[in-house]
Amino acid sequence: MEKITGAAMLLKSLLCQKTELIFGYPGGAIMPIYDALYDFDKKLRHVLTRHEQGAIHAAQGYSRISGKTGVCFATSGPGATNLLTGICDAMLDSTPVVCITGQVPSSLLGTDAFQEANIISMTTSITKWNYQITSAKEIPYVIAKAFYIAQLGRPGPVLIDITKDAQIEMFEYKDESFNFTALNKKFESHFIDNISLAITLINNAKKPYILAGHGVTLAKAENELLAFANKVKIPVACTLLGLSAFPCDHPLYVGMLGMHGNYAANFLTNDADVIIAIGMRFDDRVTGNLNSFAKQAKIIHIDIDPSEINKNVKCTVALIGDAKEIVEILQEGVHENNHDNWIDKFKKYYEREYNEVIHKELNHKNEKEIKMAEVVHLLSQKTNGNAVIVTDVGQHQMVAARYYNFKCNNSHISSGGLGTMGFALPAAIGAKLGAGEREVIAIIGDGGFQMNIQELGVIMQEKIPLKIIVLNNSFLGMVRQWQELFFENRISSTEMHNPNFIKIMEGYGIRANKAENHTELNDYLDELVSAKESYFLEVKVLKSENVFPMIPSGAGVSEVRFS
């Protein structure tokens, strides 16, 4: 048998998992792996990011759009610790990534050696599994297990730390496969009873309501959800990460849930008699004050993760398992129905939101001032709602979620649970590399954009045809909005003096323009959409606009503010 290094075995193991793309940044403790990568350059594509946080966010974006497990490399010490934010983000948003970090030689573990950090202890609470390899012979099994766990059940991140001596150790290579105990596909005995109860509740409901979360997309259950909603004529609302799981132009779609979601979608949660929650975890941004959330409703909670059942909201029926399978069973069992009066109520509430907010946002009269909603709405029209939209965190994120008319499945990528500023640019790079011919457009605020602006170097080096729109209001807009509304307008440390973004793009060889009025906005968006190469558009938007409606933190979903 052939003798190879642990580093070469690692790369062979990645190929066994059908890995095609790796994002990473080299350093001393992982250098043997990068040396071995030299001989794998035609089989494994490595993308050199400009920061390790960029590497894991890119791996997340790649995973979110492709459905595959993202992979990133980092060295020990600061390289590994720079992954922490992205690992936590992936954990909260159920994104399967395998992070591989180099580590000091095993003989130096615990000695505070140069660039040693106990990354295993640091990541125990924010990974599905982590493991430190100290012997080359462990590599094939551990890597296979890492990929299995990352995709098992509710997906998430795994970290594998490999000491330097394990990377250079020689051992005999042999082809072998590993079988892990598969998820038990047999439903528990009470599952059939719960299905029957859920079907009865749905058939008898006068005001049924579907809340669709990210789990619908993860389970690839969009078609099943559509068939189910159509059969019973149930209104559907989406969480932030659930956006694009149900087409926004469908007559049963009633909007987005959450703090800056649509008025009807939020308010009428407290009017429904049966709520079918699919692949969502009743996050506090959706429920508001739990003491007043949907107390009148019988709740059917569908989720693959048993720990989410009754964690925040007590349910009447728990259906634990794969959303695609469960929704299909429900769809086959329920009766055809219609709930026209109930759906009309959503339309009535939407009219108030349209008159008090949406119309004013989209029909801004001052030619010299641009509102964020106008940008997103116009972009949606010019792309026919078919682009993949990647957003950062802040006001622009909420505006993009509210005003982009998503028509295609799996078209919205954002940082939800952790709310990570700096996410969008590297995540959009990863998404574009995993999206094939699909158009990927990053919408970013001026604050978040500068958190990982160095990743523009990846676009330049890899010649990635990514489109970027920065909505520049010279503020940390969401924080400023809270300061205005809840801190007596004491504007503290949120105004930003920004650099010349167009000059920066020139340095990176990226085509760029700046829109300061509606005519320029229209023309430059046309250029952006038609461009075959990377394109950057800065849009100067109103400095002090706020995003409404808004449910204040700690308030109930019915306590909506319009101003």
Side-chain angles (χ1 to χ4, degrees), residues 180-229:
F180 299 96
T181 303
L183 276 174
N184 185 2
K185 287 291 185 182
K186 293 182 178 178
F187 294 117
E188 296 180 20
S189 57
H190 65 272
F191 180 83
I192 301 302
D193 293 336
N194 284 2
I195 281 284
S196 297
L197 177 55
I199 290 172
T200 299
L201 288 174
I202 295 166
N203 284 338
N204 293 333
K206 303 301 181 186
K207 298 177 180 179
Y209 191 16
I210 294 172
L211 311 184
H214 190 204
V216 175
T217 297
L218 291 173
K220 297 179 173 60
E222 296 96 340
N223 290 339
E224 288 72 17
L225 171 60
L226 186 61
F228 174 49

Side-chain angles (χ1 to χ4, degrees), residues 6-15 19 21-27 29-38 40 44-57 59 70-76 78-80 82-83 97-102 143 147 158-160 162 167:
M9 188 63 247
L10 168 70
L11 299 178
K12 284 181 176 287
S13 297
L14 291 177
L15 287 173
T19 300
L21 189 60
I22 300 163
F23 302 92
Y25 201 96
I30 201 171
M31 204 169 291
I33 291 174
Y34 273 88
D35 179 66
L37 191 61
Y38 185 89
F40 284 76
L44 289 167
R45 180 181 180 184
H46 180 274
V47 173
L48 175 65
T49 59
R50 298 315 192 250
H51 191 282
E52 292 85 358
Q53 186 179 351
I56 186 162
H57 288 330
V71 179
C72 63
F73 287 174
T75 194
S76 63
N82 281 342
L83 297 177
V97 289
V98 171
C99 306
I100 296 170
T101 54
I143 294 302
F147 276 79
V158 171
L159 181 132
I160 306 300
I162 309 179
Q167 296 173 45

